[in-house]
Structures are given as structure tokens and as C-alpha cells.
Amino acid sequence: MKEPVLVLDQVHASYGNIKAVKGISLTIKSDEMACLIGANGAGKSTTLMLISGILKPQQGTIWFQGQSLEGVTSEKRVQMGISQVPEGRHIFPEMTVLENLELGAYRRRDKIEIKQDLEQTFTLFPQLKERGQQRGGTLSGGEQQMLAIGRAMMSRPKLLLLDEPSLGLAPLIVEQIFEIIQQINQVGTTVLLVEQNAHLALMVTDHGYVMETGKITIEGESKELIADQRIREAYLGE
Amino acid sequence: MTLFLEQIVNGLVLGGIYALIAVGYTMVYGVIQLINFAHGEIFMFGAYFTFLCLAVLKFPLWLAVLASILLCALMGVVIDLIAYRPLRNAPRLSALITAIGISLILQNLARMIWGAEPRRDLANAKSAFLSQTVIIPGGAQLSYLDLSIIILAILLMVGLNRLISLTRIGKAMRACAQDKMAASLMGIDTNRVIGATFAIGSALGAVAGIMVGMRETIEPTMGYYKGVAAFAAAVLGGIGNITGAMLGGVVLGIAEVLGAGYISSGYRVAISYILMILVIVFRPAGLLGRASAKRA
Ligand SMILES: Nc1ncnc2c1ncn2[C@@H]1O[C@H](COP(=O)(O)OP(=O)(O)O)[C@@H](O)[C@H]1O
Ligand SMILES: [Mg+2]
């Protein structure tokens, strides 16, 4: 039994009066690839922002590698090994591809290894290499998604949070990006994938959580969830 | 011809000063979308702090200048910390009104401490060296002070450009200006970056204040008048765009001097307003700005 990388214990969060997350608990084991699926507005992005420390929970605790994240700033969390590819990619539009990637390594000081990681990113995403000096905002949606993932990997995360990486992309590009995400997971990064495309997410992950209006309603092995009648009806359109 | 050349040189000096102040407005606007109306007052305190260090603390000139720049940088950071940071998530109008309030408080504080009458202490304190003049090709006279201002303004602008484009803090500033949430996700401490932005902008404003103090007089309203013009320069260049603010400063400086020389000196202040209004009407994003100027 591998020890958990991330544990959420009865976490609540709201925006003013709107309760977005209502006491969710989940456990992500080391090296696994998990997904959090659910309809638009279920609270998935909010959950990732809580893990990254951009939002603070009102109640409950988040543990990362056995350590409570209470009072830990978002900067520190990046340094500890939590990295997020946010929904909508959030590339720095006026900065070059190279600068975007360098900012991913903002918390690191090991210049030589950063250089090596840059090369590795370019091996993973050859399209980005040709566009090194191009402004991020000029890239296509697929390239921006690759840049966002490459940038997040530049911090050498132990846990990679991905928020709807397939959003708005052509099927062929989605396939390519998901292959890369699986590769990233296979070489030792734990992944938590948020998706509205439930079928796709369950196909590539080990474990799945289903979120509905701020709560986790179903949880289990992804291959079992794909066969689950409730999920087939609600999320796989059957 | 000589007169015209002299006007152009004077315009460049004034333009350099405006540019130094304008980048402070534009940098802060770039990272927190706030027009920091108190920036003109920081510029004014730059002159008064130098006077204070000279007259009361008896510092040598170079040390007084250095101390004043550091004090102003600190002042910018403290203003952000106590006045603006608590309003970071409040409606933008709240922060704007706060900025106007801080500006009024600082201006009246200066009036209380040092009186309203214009002082020539800095102009008198500048070294004999700076009072010398050279004749430049074309026959125009140029004081060493004005020459130093032009050179220093250029050096500082080039330095700032390098800082913003090449250094770690500069990249972090641009990242914060373009997408604060993404910057946080990169592990950038956005509050610290905003603080650094205030510090740098205020330090440059202080330099401009000292220049004006040596060239003209020091008075509590100097920050208001030069501040409005420099703000107009920032709008002219495209608010949020640093290169634009530099360009806007120079354009405005030259326009103001030529207007005062060839139309009437009574139009001095009006010229910056007129240019600003023209820009807002015909090219709202400014000379170099885009629809949303976030290039910092
Ligand atoms: N910045 C915000 N301010 C107010 N309400 C928000 C904000 N972001 C999200 N919400 C609300 O919180 C709920 C959960 O949103 P979100 O976490 O974005 O869901 P999901 O990512 O699953 O689509 C929704 O009801 C949404 O309207
Ligand atoms: Mg979402």
C-alpha cells in the first residue's frame, strides 16, 4: 500500500454566500493518476485552487505528503511540489514561450538543471521548441495547453493538478495531450486530473471521484466507474 | 534656430523628468490597475527629504540624495501596505478614492511641516559644477544640471528596461501584470512583487523630484502639477506600458515647452490636459498601448 500524497479531509469553501465545496474528502496515492469528474459548476476548479493555496478552506484540512497545508502559502506549496495547470491555461500572453517556461521554474535556483529540464520539455513538446521566441498569446489552443503543462512541469512537481486540459481542443490534439499526461505520470509524477469529459478521464486514470454540487458522490476504481450504471447515465450520455 | 534648439533641449529635460515620474504611474497601474494619485506626492517628498537631509541632518549632497531615494522607495511600499493592500479585492473605485485621499494627506502634511512657500534650498545647494553651462552645437546653452538630467534619465530608463525584461523580479512583475492568478501558481509572491513595483516607481519619482528641486523650486503643490502632467504622459504612451510612458514623457515635455514658447506660457498646464484628452478621444489605448495594455 503506497502512502497518500494528498489527503483532503472534510474541506469546505465558499465565495461569499455561495458554498462551492461542501465537505469533501479524498485521498490521492503516490504515483497514481486520479480524476475528479463532474458537471460544470460542481466545484472541481475550486477544489484545485484550495489544493494550490489560491483559495483558503473555511473548514477542514489538506495534507500533502503527511504535512498539513494550513497556513502554507501558495508559493511554498509550489516549492513543496504542488503544481497546477489551471482551467483556461492562463499562459502569460505577452511573454515568450521560453519566458513562460522559465517562470514555471521561478522557485528553483538550480540553473543547470533548469536548463536540462527545458531541453526535456522541448523533447516532450517539439512544437514548443520552434516557437521559443514567440509570444505565448500567439500560440494555438493546443500549443497553449502544451505550454501550460510544460510550464507546470518546470517546477518539478510531485503532484500535478490538471484542470480540464481537453477543453476546447480538437480530438486529435486531446489524444496527443493525454498521451503526454500519461507519460508524465509514468515517470513518477502523481496526477490529479479534473475533467468534464468523464469517459476520457476514466479511461486514462486509476481512480476516480465524481463531484456534484460541492460534494463527492461516487468514488472508486476508474475501470469500475466506467461500468457503473449511475455514471453511464449521468456522465457518459447513455 | 538657436531659440528653437534651446526649446527642444528644455523639452527633453522636462520630458526626461516626466518620463521618470510617468513610469511610476504606469508600473503600478500595470500590476494592480490602480492610478496611484499619491505618486506625485512621493515625487514631491523626494525633493523635501533631500532638503531635510541637507539642511537639518547636514548630509553631504550625494548622501542626501541617496537617503531621499531610499526613503521614498520605503514610503511607496508602506503606502501600498497600509492603504492599498487591504483593498486588493475591493471595487476599484475604493482604491482610487483612497489614492486621492493619500495624495491630499501627503500634500497637506508637507504644507504643515515645511510651509506653502516655494523653497530654493535645493537649487542653491547644487554644486557649482552643476551650475556651469556648455554651448552645444547650434549655439544653444545647456547647464550641466540639465545635461546631467538628460543623461541620467536615459540611463535610468535603459536600466529599468533591462530590469523589466531580463531579471527575475522584472519577469515576475510582467507575470503579475499579465495574469496574477497564474503568477501565484508559478510560486510568485504577488504581494512582494507589487511592493517591489511601488519601491522602484517611487525611487524613480524621487530622482525626478530632486531634479525638479534643483532646477526650479520645492513646494507642496509641485507633486500635483508635475504629477498630472506625468500621468498624462503615461496615458499618452498607453497606461501600463513602460516604454510608452517614457515616450509619452518626452513627447509631452517637448510639446509643453514649445507650446509655452510659441503660443503662450499660460498654456503650460493646459497642454498636458489637451494632449491627454486628444489621446483618450482618438487613441484610447495610447501611443504604444493595445486595447488592454498589459505589456508592462
Ligand atoms: N470567483 C467566483 N466567485 C463566485 N462564485 C464562484 C467563483 N468561482 C466559482 N464560483 C461558483 O462556485 C461553484 C463551483 O465552481 P467551480 O469550482 O468553478 O466548478 P467547476 O470547476 O466544477 O465547473 C459554481 O457555483 C460557481 O458558480
Ligand atoms: Mg472548472
Side-chain angles (χ1 to χ4, degrees), chain B residues 55-71:
Chain B
V56 180
L57 303 175
K58 307 287 180 208
F59 284 4
L61 184 60
W62 68 270
L63 187 60
V65 166
L66 192 68
S68 164
I69 293 170
L70 292 177
L71 277 171

Side-chain angles (χ1 to χ4, degrees), chain B residues 157-179:
Chain B
M157 292 296 106
V158 171
L160 180 65
N161 242 324
R162 304 275 89 183
L163 178 100
I164 298 291
S165 53
L166 299 179
T167 65
R168 182 175 139 95
I169 184 73
K171 286 176 187 170
M173 280 177 185
R174 281 187 289 148
C176 285
Q178 289 168 32
D179 193 327

Side-chain angles (χ1 to χ4, degrees), chain A residues 37-45 87 164 195-196 211 213 235:
Chain A
I37 57 179
N40 196 8
K44 307 181 297 294
S45 298
E87 184 178 338
E164 306 215 21
E195 263 299 334
Q196 270 192 64
M211 200 165 177
T213 58
Y235 299 102

